[in-house]
Amino acid sequence: MTMTDDTICAISTPAGVGGIAVARVSGKDAIMLVDKVWKGKSLANAESHTAHLGTIVDENNQAIDQAVATVFRGPRSFTGEDVVEIAVHGSRWVQRELINLLVRTGCRIADAGEFTRRAFANGRMDLAEAEAVADVIASTSRAAHRIAMSQMRGDFSRKLTHLHDQLLDLASLLELELDFSEEEVEFASREKLLDIAREIHTIVTRLASTFATGAAIKDGIPVAIVGETNAGKSTLLNQLLHEDRAIVSDIHGTTRDTIEDTIEIGDTLFRFIDTAGLRQTDDTIEALGIQRTLQKITDAHIVLWVIDATAGTDAIGRAAQQIMPKLTDEQQLVIAINKTDHPDADVSATSALLDSITNNVSAIIVNISARQGHNLDGLENALIKASGTDQIPEDQIMVTNARHYQALVLAADSIARAIDALTAGISGDFIAQDIRETLHHLGEITGNITSQDILTTIFSRFCIGK
Ligand SMILES: Nc1nc2c(ncn2[C@@H]2O[C@H](COP(=O)(O)OP(=O)(O)OP(=O)(O)O)[C@@H](O)[C@H]2O)c(=O)[nH]1
Ligand SMILES: [Mg+2]
């Protein structure tokens, strides 16, 4: 991606036919270039933040469409440059002609994410805020949207900037000390330094620890649906997704490979993964499927164990032996006792056995009939509870971006080294080095310190027009 001061254009609304489509033009000549294809009151003297009705006409004075042009004069615009947004009727032909015409007039088609990159380059937002624009656009659930909005508003950046500034103050005192090293003076109080370093360590670690949940909220909380063959896992998946996604049959071992899809329950996006039923098998393909099931248990945040209440207690014991040892403390277990509608279902024996199996693990147990759709509400509530998303305070800052997470982990490491050095009474230059590293990692998130390569990678993930 080249950063130049030319004027760029792109359709900013989704590809396809719509009631209207909006082309965005940004750059120092934006107003002048749009004026060349504009029939109506000239935009040259239009005030910022005003909308004008007119017609887009080509070089032969042929009308392409009636349009509304909204003028934003820099720096008070999204990109910080002069911007004109042209709303036309959303026909594919009109959209194509408009862009072709703008290019013939002197605009360049924008690269992916170039509008947002210009906003960043012109100081309209920092990097974390710019990345949040992409997240807001991509958000598919209320919870994901809330996190992205908070990041776009700059809550996360403000927190980091505050830490960064505090640390920078101390770092400069330390550097000053190094300049006077002959004299053995101490400008930076070691006690104060230690206090602040500890505080920063706590906050950075806490932020990093929100990543697992934050990322899961963004992509869908992974729920592995597991259990013995024929328990009703695929039936349940179809019910949760309100769609016949997986094949259901009374033949044991119907599902061979994992099937996954997302759906929003309450405010939260869940990613359900239906898996091959657990049983002893000589079939090579089925055995590979079962290996995948075990892997999915490891990757899941929530393990949803489906039990066939008609299958007898031996079957529960067998499944438990496979599932329980794989669970970690961070994972939540939800157990669905299924087929409660069936005359052979023995719910009380099943519950009693489960009590002993799960006696030192916290599990939420729900009785359901997947086939009849009984108590699916109860199961959905259990999933929301297990996800913990209803416990996240409204103003909690969540990290959802792997790049930010990595930088936070590195910042936590270097500040921890500084704390060790301070506690051990090690000399100032080592401490200053660790603090400089911490500053560097915090700066990477907001973009104070970021290489052009990283910027290009980040912005190329946007679509054209953003
Ligand atoms: N009576 C009753 N039958 C059910 C219920 N849920 C599923 N079944 C039946 O149980 C059989 C197995 O259902 P599946 O959903 O294919 O089971 P599965 O756990 O995916 O099985 P595998 O893919 O072989 O591991 C089918 O005949 C379903 O109709 C239920 O709630 N009540
Ligand atoms: Mg199945």
Side-chain angles (χ1 to χ4, degrees):
M1 189 185 283
T2 45
M3 281 309 283
T4 45
D5 60 354
D6 55 358
T7 297
I8 52 173
C9 69
I11 297 288
S12 285
T13 37
V17 181
I20 57 168
V22 176
R24 189 148 52 173
V25 183
S26 177
K28 64 177 177 9
D29 298 329
I31 297 172
M32 185 268 286
L33 290 174
V34 175
D35 238 351
K36 287 192 178 173
V37 303
W38 185 248
K39 201 166 160 188
K41 202 175 148 234
S42 162
L43 302 173
N45 301 316
E47 274 184 45
S48 187
H49 295 71
T50 56
H52 307 269
L53 184 65
T55 307
I56 300 288
V57 289
D58 68 13
E59 301 89 336
N60 305 319
N61 213 22
Q62 289 290 312
I64 289 179
D65 196 7
Q66 203 177 38
V68 172
T70 311
V71 174
F72 302 90
R73 291 188 182 273
R76 286 178 52 227
S77 70
F78 178 72
T79 57
E81 308 168 329
D82 282 355
V83 171
V84 184
E85 286 183 3
I86 309 169
V88 288
H89 296 103
S91 106
R92 287 185 211 276
W93 183 83
V94 169
Q95 297 183 43
R96 204 170 48 229
E97 280 308 297
L98 174 60
I99 292 300
N100 287 343
L101 178 61
L102 287 168
V103 169
R104 290 200 301 273
T105 312
C107 296
R108 170 170 66 77
I109 293 185
D111 290 323
E114 195 171 0
F115 291 98
T116 315
R117 184 167 182 170
R118 287 187 173 198
F120 166 67
N122 292 326
R124 297 295 289 169
M125 54 181 78
D126 71 23
L127 198 52
E129 289 163 358
E131 287 170 302
V133 174
D135 287 347
V136 168
I137 293 168
S139 62
T140 49
S141 71
R142 190 178 138 83
H145 179 256
R146 187 163 52 97
I147 297 174
M149 284 297 283
S150 129
Q151 192 174 322
M152 194 170 72
R153 276 197 316 265
D155 298 357
F156 181 45
S157 302
R158 262 192 297 283
K159 185 131 210 155
L160 289 179
T161 309
H162 180 66
L163 296 181
H164 188 271
D165 291 352
Q166 267 180 304
L167 205 54
L168 194 60
D169 282 352
L170 287 165
S172 26
L173 287 176
L174 267 179
E175 307 275 350
L176 204 62
E177 243 173 56
L178 298 182
D179 290 345
F180 287 84
S181 55
E182 320 279 272
E183 275 111 279
E184 299 230 340
V185 283
E186 254 189 35
F187 292 117
S189 143
R190 292 298 184 266
E191 226 161 276
K192 192 158 165 234
L193 203 54
L194 200 53
D195 278 353
I196 292 187
R198 283 200 177 118
E199 193 195 332
I200 289 177
H201 186 260
T202 311
I203 296 175
V204 167
T205 316
R206 202 185 302 142
L207 279 173
S209 75
T210 64
F211 175 65
T213 311
I217 289 176
K218 190 159 110 179
D219 302 330
I221 305 218
V223 182
I225 307 177
V226 301
E228 287 248 304
T229 51
N230 223 41
K233 299 179 295 297
S234 301
T235 310
L236 180 58
L237 174 83
N238 291 345
Q239 288 279 11
L240 289 166
L241 296 175
H242 310 294
E243 151 183 8
D244 272 341
R245 192 72 174 70
I247 298 172
V248 165
S249 88
D250 59 2
I251 301 167
H252 286 252
T254 299
T255 307
R256 295 296 188 90
D257 207 344
T258 55
I259 300 175
E260 58 181 274
D261 212 337
T262 56
I263 193 160
E264 196 180 351
I265 300 176
D267 292 341
T268 306
L269 190 71
F270 286 89
R271 174 179 300 277
F272 289 108
I273 304 137
D274 183 21
T275 62
L278 299 164
R279 68 164 173 177
Q280 286 300 330
T281 178
D282 296 330
D283 183 312
T284 328
I285 309 285
E286 190 180 356
L288 287 172
I290 293 173
Q291 284 308 315
R292 289 198 176 181
T293 303
L294 298 174
Q295 183 58 44
K296 290 296 173 186
I297 296 179
T298 310
D299 298 343
H301 282 211
I302 300 175
V303 175
L304 173 51
W305 175 12
V306 183
I307 291 176
D308 179 348
T310 68
T313 46
D314 285 355
I316 302 175
R318 279 196 307 268
Q321 273 179 12
Q322 302 243 47
I323 298 168
M324 300 304 284
K326 294 207 76 95
L327 298 179
T328 63
D329 289 346
E330 285 79 45
Q331 289 175 311
Q332 301 294 317
L333 177 61
V334 175
I335 303 177
I337 303 180
N338 189 30
K339 306 197 186 180
T340 54
D341 60 298
H342 197 286
D344 296 341
D346 191 346
V347 177
S348 50
T350 307
S351 309
L353 178 60
L354 281 177
D355 282 345
S356 66
I357 289 174
T358 60
N359 80 26
N360 49 12
V361 198
S362 70
I364 312 178
I365 302 178
V366 206
N367 301 340
I368 62 161
S369 163
R371 188 151 81 185
Q372 307 292 334
H374 290 165
N375 200 27
L376 290 179
D377 288 358
L379 178 62
E380 289 181 345
N381 287 335
L383 290 168
I384 291 173
K385 184 154 183 253
S387 76
T389 48
D390 56 340
Q391 303 294 317
I392 300 172
E394 195 69 26
D395 57 354
Q396 164 87 56
I397 296 173
M398 304 285 290
V399 177
T400 60
N401 183 307
R403 193 181 70 80
H404 300 172
Y405 171 69
Q406 230 167 29
L408 286 169
V409 170
L410 292 172
D413 282 354
S414 44
I415 198 74
R417 276 198 305 275
I419 293 173
D420 287 348
L422 279 163
T423 339
I426 289 173
S427 75
D429 41 355
F430 288 105
I431 306 171
Q433 174 59 26
D434 291 329
I435 290 184
R436 249 180 265 133
E437 262 176 48
T438 314
L439 283 169
H440 173 85
H441 295 306
L442 294 178
E444 272 178 334
I445 299 177
T446 50
N448 298 351
I449 305 157
T450 310
S451 77
Q452 292 302 317
D453 291 354
I454 295 178
L455 288 178
T456 302
T457 319
I458 291 170
F459 286 104
S460 62
R461 286 201 205 104
F462 282 62
C463 8
I464 291 176
K466 306 292 171 333

